[in-house]
């Protein structure tokens, strides 16, 4: 039950962060979410649907080679993709200045991801790919996620321009710091009464 609650609350944070602050300013997150946003900005595709389509091959690999990864992230990917598309109408609301959009949007997305990771679930995507590559190569999963995110942001910068690239870097930092903080609080000891 806690896992489902974390998936729904985390997905709400992700959906609001992306549609309320990142998408209106053509800012990116890393990984498959970032790729889906590039597809949305460039061709108008629904990002949630793109996430699902791009994730299918990764989930196929996970099913055959790392079944625990498959089970721990499939529902998170599906529900977060749904909320990303369901909250698209809030893109038309008024928004704070660009720097605040990058910071607050990154904070909201990072909070959503962190809440899900606390319950050992995730949005899947390139994080799932990084987990599988890490197991095969013994390279730290954090380094692989960083490299994948850097490639996505660099490609997005080439397509969307320098301003989008620079503010997306701020977004990625905000996502990373927030996610790290939330996942570290899980392992912190709770005070006894």
């Amino acid at each position: 039950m806690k896992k489902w609650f974390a998936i729904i609350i985390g997905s709400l944070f992700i959906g609001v962060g992306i549609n309320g602050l990142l998408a209106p300013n053509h800012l990116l997150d890393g990984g498959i979410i970032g790729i889906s946003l590039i597809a949305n900005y460039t061709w108008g595709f629904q990002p949630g649907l793109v996430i699902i389509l791009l994730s299918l091959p990764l989930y196929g690999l996970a099913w055959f080679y790392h079944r625990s990864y498959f089970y721990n992230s499939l529902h998170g990917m599906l529900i977060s993709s749904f909320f990303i598309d369901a909250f698209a109408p809030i893109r038309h609301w008024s928004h704070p200045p660009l720097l605040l959009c990058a910071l607050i949007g990154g904070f909201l997305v990072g909070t959503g991801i962190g809440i899900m990771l606390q319950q050992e679930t995730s949005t899947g995507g390139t994080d799932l790919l990084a987990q599988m590559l890490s197991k095969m190569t013994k390279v730290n999963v954090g380094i692989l996620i960083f490299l994948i995110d850097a490639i996505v942001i660099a490609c997005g910068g080439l397509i969307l321009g320098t301003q989008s690239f620079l503010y997306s870097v701020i977004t990625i930092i905000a996502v990373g710091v927030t996610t790290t903080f939330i996942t570290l609080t899980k392992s912190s000891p709770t005070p006894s009464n």
Side-chain angles (χ1 to χ4, degrees), residues 74-97:
L74 179 65
H75 41 285
M77 183 268 298
L78 292 171
I79 293 172
S80 63
S81 295
F82 168 78
F83 279 115
I84 288 169
D85 285 349
F87 279 105
I90 69 172
R91 290 182 183 198
H92 306 294
W93 293 359
S94 63
H95 310 288

Side-chain angles (χ1 to χ4, degrees), residues 31-59 77-78 80-82 84-85 91 123 125-126:
I32 285 188
I33 291 175
I35 295 168
S36 73
L37 288 172
I38 292 169
N40 177 257
Y41 305 152
T42 307
W43 300 294
F45 296 152
Q46 290 183 302
L49 181 60
V50 173
I51 290 168
I52 292 169
L53 293 175
L54 292 177
S55 296
L56 289 176
L58 299 175
Y59 281 97
M77 183 268 298
L78 292 171
S80 63
S81 295
F82 168 78
I84 288 169
D85 285 349
R91 290 182 183 198
T123 59
T126 52

Side-chain angles (χ1 to χ4, degrees), residues 115-137:
I115 288 169
M116 292 170 77
L117 288 174
Q118 276 189 324
Q119 295 302 316
E120 298 178 359
T121 188
S122 74
T123 59
T126 52
D127 293 352
L128 180 64
L129 175 63
Q131 287 176 310
M132 291 188 290
L133 288 174
S134 177
K135 191 166 187 160
M136 291 186 304
T137 64

Side-chain angles (χ1 to χ4, degrees), residues 171-191:
T171 300
I172 293 291
I173 292 168
V175 169
V177 168
T178 305
T179 302
T180 301
F181 177 77
I182 290 173
T183 55
L184 285 177
T185 59
K186 177 188 177 190
S187 57
S188 300
T190 53

Side-chain angles (χ1 to χ4, degrees), residues 20-33:
L21 298 154
L22 302 185
N25 295 293
H26 286 193
L27 300 178
L28 299 172
D29 186 16
I32 285 188
I33 291 175

